[in-house]
């Protein structure tokens, strides 16, 4: 359905008053910039309307409300004055009510009111009808002082860059929404998956809310994923009360093909009734959900991350140790651009798997006896006695590949974990960081989409001897002590489980 007017901008008059004499106000500049960027994205000039004759003492104008039936989208500029204005609140309510009489308030699960937060206001003070709508935050918070600074074209290079990035995000989302209205109504039903520009159903990715120091990273990754056609969840404001938050997270995760969590130096907001931050809660819920439903996950820690909060230090230490919150996840540390590549490679790999299964479903042979012998390149010669023993006892032995790009090697490793009957980590000359990394993969195996549990997981401790090897033990896998030679009876006992 098409509307004569694309956008109505709802705002409080005082928020368009300029601090600098003879300079346009924030709302006027926002209107101008949005008009130009949307025209570039849509290929036509958008019809944007706002009442620029507003005065603080104006009474509510029924003539404005009468126009709402002709408007596709409202943009609400949230500020302290806006949420205190009876006029502004009534505009939201009236647009919401009018939308129910035509195509509804949501289309493809997206609200027809876009919330631009110019100045932070507590969520409970937002207009009730849009309290659950995600906002576009046109401000940032100084990590040192906690002071909020509005994004503007007039406050310096860095603030100006962030302003244009945020406006570009908003323009892309509005452009996509307006284009979706031109699709047949059945294709944009709120009960169906979101539709991409080419008319295809969009896969959904859960991109967890993050602390404010990683918000720019999250926005950048969100922008990248949307550019590849993915629909980002959560697409509504997460509750800041423990019980409804958990319910909302499970609902979101049930729709997603991948879960992504970004960690930083700050711990994040602690919801009402909770003991942990929203960042840690999201990860805990996703870990439990992944263990039960095999949804793959990524956890990213930026390079050079040095948290000062004891709670955040403890949280990251638990993840690094692989004991809590890591189920189904790859823990990635490095630059954001490298992380983006890893995520996109994973999503592309998942699409290929789905396509392969649709074209020719893979038959899982439960009678096969494949053992994945995981080793480091430095131990390729040392594994020969164990490899020969397994083969002589009737087992096919698969070892890792060591040549090719990092993404391909990782993909082969995951595929081996998915299809083998059992897995053994061979620990000889490699260092303990390598061992810890491979052991964590055992914890993530459900998230890789494995069809059935491994018959056994084992760590084979081979010479050279060391104090740390003698003391090594774990509850996550069987430990095979081969420091004094090949333990045939122990191996045969394990093999009997296949």
């Amino acid at each position: 359905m098409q509307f004569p007017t694309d956008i109505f901008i709802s705002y409080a008059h005082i928020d368009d008053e300029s601090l600098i004499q003879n300079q346009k106000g924030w709302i006027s500049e926002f209107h101008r910039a949005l008009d130009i960027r949307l025209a570039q994205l849509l290929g036509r000039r958008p019809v944007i309307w706002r009442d620029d004759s507003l005065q603080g003492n104006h009474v509510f104008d029924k003539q404005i409300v009468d126009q709402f039936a002709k408007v596709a989208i409202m943009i609400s500029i949230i500020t302290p004055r806006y949420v205190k204005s009876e006029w502004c609140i009534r505009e939201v309510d009236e647009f919401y009510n009018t939308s129910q009489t035509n195509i509804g308030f949501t289309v493809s699960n997206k609200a027809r009111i876009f919330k631009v937060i110019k100045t932070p206001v507590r969520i409970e003070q937002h207009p009730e009808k849009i309290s659950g709508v995600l906002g576009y935050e046109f401000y940032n918070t100084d990590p040192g002082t906690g002071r909020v600074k509005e994004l503007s074209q007039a406050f310096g290079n860095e603030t100006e860059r962030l302003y244009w990035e945020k406006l570009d995000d908003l323009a892309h989302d509005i452009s996509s929404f307006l284009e979706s209205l031109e699709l047949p109504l059945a294709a944009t039903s709120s009960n169906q998956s979101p539709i991409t520009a080419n008319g295809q159903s969009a896969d959904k990715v859960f991109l967890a809310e993050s602390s404010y120091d990683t918000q720019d990273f999250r926005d950048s990754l969100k922008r990248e994923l949307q550019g590849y056609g993915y629909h980002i969840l959560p697409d509504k404001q997460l509750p800041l009360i423990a019980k409804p938050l958990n319910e909302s997270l499970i609902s979101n995760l049930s729709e997603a093909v991948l879960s992504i969590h970004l960690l930083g130096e700050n711990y994040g907001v602690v919801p009402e009734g909770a003991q942990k931050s929203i960042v840690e809660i999201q990860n805990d819920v996703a870990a439990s959900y992944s263990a039960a439903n095999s949804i793959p996950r990524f956890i990213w820690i930026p390079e050079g991350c040095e948290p000062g909060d004891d709670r955040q230090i403890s949280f990251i230490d638990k993840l690094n140790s692989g004991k809590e919150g890591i189920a189904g996840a790859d823990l990635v540390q490095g630059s954001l651009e490298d992380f983006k590549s890893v995520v996109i490679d994973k999503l592309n790999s998942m699409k290929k798997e789905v396509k392969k299964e649709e074209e020719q479903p893979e038959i899982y042979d439960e009678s096969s006896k494949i053992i994945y012998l995981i080793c480091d390149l430095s131990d390729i010669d040392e594994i020969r006695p164990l490899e020969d023993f397994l083969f002589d006892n009737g087992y096919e032995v698969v070892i890792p590949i060591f040549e090719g790009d990092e993404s391909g090697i990782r993909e082969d490793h995951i595929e081996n974990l998915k299809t083998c009957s059992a897995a053994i980590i061979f620990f000889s000359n490699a260092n303990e960081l390598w061992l810890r990394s491979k052991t964590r993969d055992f914890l993530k195996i459900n998230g890789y989409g494995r069809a059935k549990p491994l018959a056994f997981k084992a760590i084979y401790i081979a010479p050279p001897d060391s104090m740390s090897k003698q003391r090594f033990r774990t509850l996550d896998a069987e430990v095979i002590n081969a420091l004094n030679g090949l333990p045939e009876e122990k191996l045969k006992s394990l093999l009997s489980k296949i």
Side-chain angles (χ1 to χ4, degrees):
M1 180 176 177
Q2 291 185 317
F3 293 84
T5 302
D6 293 307
I7 300 167
F8 170 69
I9 298 178
S10 172
Y11 68 103
H13 173 74
I14 195 173
D15 295 319
D16 197 36
E17 293 183 5
S18 175
L19 295 173
I20 304 174
Q21 192 172 9
N22 299 323
Q23 186 178 77
K24 282 188 176 182
W26 195 95
I27 308 293
S28 297
E29 280 297 327
F30 170 83
H31 182 162
R32 182 194 66 81
L34 183 65
D35 178 75
I36 294 171
R37 188 64 185 119
L38 277 175
Q40 294 169 342
L41 294 172
L42 292 168
R44 64 174 177 83
R45 184 65 65 180
V47 181
I48 303 178
W49 166 49
R50 68 182 172 93
D51 186 351
D52 54 10
S53 65
L54 280 174
Q55 298 295 327
N57 59 354
H58 272 193
V59 295
F60 188 70
D61 192 345
K62 189 68 167 61
Q63 291 181 334
I64 292 179
V65 174
D66 292 340
Q67 299 298 313
F68 284 168
K70 303 175 183 178
V71 176
I73 291 170
M74 173 186 280
I75 295 177
S76 290
I77 311 292
I78 301 294
T79 64
R81 176 57 187 158
Y82 187 93
V83 301
K84 293 176 182 177
S85 165
E86 180 184 353
W87 178 312
C88 296
I89 300 300
R90 286 188 64 184
E91 282 184 345
V92 171
D93 291 343
E94 293 291 346
F95 183 84
Y96 178 91
N97 293 335
T98 301
S99 70
Q100 305 285 37
T101 66
N102 43 59
I103 63 171
F105 180 63
T106 60
V107 178
S108 296
N109 292 318
K110 289 182 178 289
R112 288 172 59 191
I113 296 182
F114 284 68
K115 197 163 63 175
V116 168
I117 305 174
K118 175 178 179 286
T119 313
V121 179
R122 292 199 310 274
I123 190 68
E124 61 267 22
Q125 294 181 344
H126 289 204
E128 181 183 358
K129 294 293 192 297
I130 56 174
S131 61
V133 175
L134 283 178
Y136 296 79
E137 297 176 350
F138 276 74
Y139 65 88
N140 61 6
T141 306
D142 187 290
T145 64
R147 181 171 295 177
V148 170
K149 179 179 288 187
E150 293 178 1
L151 304 185
S152 169
Q153 303 173 46
F155 286 167
N157 292 337
E158 179 61 16
T159 303
E160 184 176 358
R161 179 187 67 79
L162 294 173
Y163 174 89
W164 288 115
E165 284 186 354
K166 190 65 69 172
L167 184 122
D168 195 55
D169 288 344
L170 175 65
H172 272 91
D173 289 348
I174 290 177
S175 172
S176 175
F177 187 91
L178 291 173
E179 288 175 346
S180 75
L181 294 182
E182 299 174 6
L183 296 171
L185 187 58
T188 58
S189 166
S190 61
N191 295 323
Q192 296 182 358
S193 296
I195 305 298
T196 61
N198 63 7
Q200 299 296 312
S201 178
D203 283 333
K204 298 179 182 180
V205 172
F206 181 79
L207 180 57
E209 297 286 358
S210 62
S211 56
Y212 64 78
D213 61 309
T214 54
Q215 190 60 51
D216 289 345
F217 296 138
R218 185 182 185 276
D219 289 343
S220 179
L221 180 56
K222 178 181 178 181
R223 201 174 298 125
E224 186 99 2
L225 292 170
Q226 287 175 326
Y228 280 94
Y230 291 95
H231 178 77
I232 304 303
L233 298 172
D235 54 8
K236 295 180 176 63
Q237 189 76 41
L238 288 175
L240 288 177
I241 302 174
K243 185 177 179 181
L245 171 62
N246 280 18
E247 293 170 351
S248 178
L249 290 174
I250 291 172
S251 175
N252 278 282
L253 288 164
S254 69
E255 298 182 55
V257 298
L258 181 70
S259 173
I260 302 172
H261 304 260
L262 309 182
L263 307 188
E265 297 181 352
N266 294 309
Y267 188 56
V269 174
V270 177
E272 182 181 333
Q275 301 297 318
K276 298 179 179 180
S277 74
I278 192 169
V279 178
E280 187 168 4
I281 290 171
Q282 288 173 105
N283 183 69
D284 287 348
V285 173
S288 298
Y289 188 87
S290 178
N293 299 278
S294 299
I295 177 176
R297 302 197 303 129
F298 283 112
I299 302 171
W300 177 69
I301 302 174
E303 56 188 351
C305 178
E306 297 181 0
D309 190 311
D310 289 342
R311 296 170 299 176
Q312 186 70 351
I313 293 172
S314 174
F315 177 30
I316 291 177
D317 283 348
K318 283 190 295 185
L319 296 175
N320 279 323
S321 69
K323 292 182 179 178
E324 276 186 60
I326 201 71
D330 274 321
L331 182 61
V332 180
Q333 294 179 300
S335 72
L336 180 64
E337 293 307 313
D338 287 344
F339 180 62
K340 285 180 182 179
S341 298
V342 171
V343 170
I344 297 302
D345 285 347
K346 175 63 175 177
L347 288 167
N348 288 338
S349 172
M350 291 168 66
K351 283 186 174 180
K352 288 178 183 176
E353 285 186 26
V354 171
K355 187 175 180 180
K356 181 180 178 182
E357 289 173 2
E358 289 174 349
E359 292 175 351
Q360 186 177 354
E362 183 177 347
I363 300 173
Y364 185 81
D365 182 5
E366 295 189 2
S367 66
S368 64
K369 294 184 175 182
I370 300 174
I371 294 180
Y372 183 27
L373 183 53
I374 305 167
C375 66
D376 185 67
L377 181 59
S378 62
D379 291 328
I380 197 67
D381 293 327
E382 279 72 9
I383 66 169
R384 182 60 63 85
L386 176 59
E387 185 180 9
D388 290 344
F389 176 84
L390 296 172
F391 184 80
D392 291 343
N393 279 270
Y395 295 89
E396 191 74 36
V397 181
V398 176
I399 64 174
I401 60 171
F402 298 103
E403 295 183 358
D405 61 78
E406 185 176 342
S407 174
I409 292 172
R410 182 67 180 168
E411 188 173 332
D412 179 76
H413 174 64
I414 292 171
E415 191 63 28
N416 290 337
L417 285 171
K418 286 168 57 179
T419 57
C420 66
S421 307
I424 300 174
I425 298 174
F426 187 94
F427 181 46
S428 175
N429 294 309
N431 60 42
E432 292 190 31
L433 287 176
W434 175 88
L435 176 61
R436 183 176 293 181
S437 169
K438 299 308 175 186
T439 305
R440 281 200 296 262
D441 284 340
F442 283 163
L443 301 175
K444 307 171 193 173
I445 200 162
N446 288 333
Y448 295 149
R450 185 176 168 83
K452 57 182 293 188
L454 288 169
F456 67 82
K457 301 174 288 187
I459 300 175
Y460 188 94
I461 308 296
D465 197 353
S466 69
M467 184 62 70
S468 62
K469 284 183 177 180
Q470 291 178 14
R471 296 179 59 185
F472 181 82
R473 56 185 177 177
T474 178
L475 297 175
D476 297 322
E478 298 275 357
V479 177
I480 306 171
N481 189 329
L483 294 173
N484 297 315
L486 188 78
E488 294 189 7
E489 293 306 314
K490 173 71 170 178
L491 288 167
K492 287 179 180 179
S493 175
L494 285 176
L495 294 175
S496 67
K497 296 181 179 181
I498 298 178

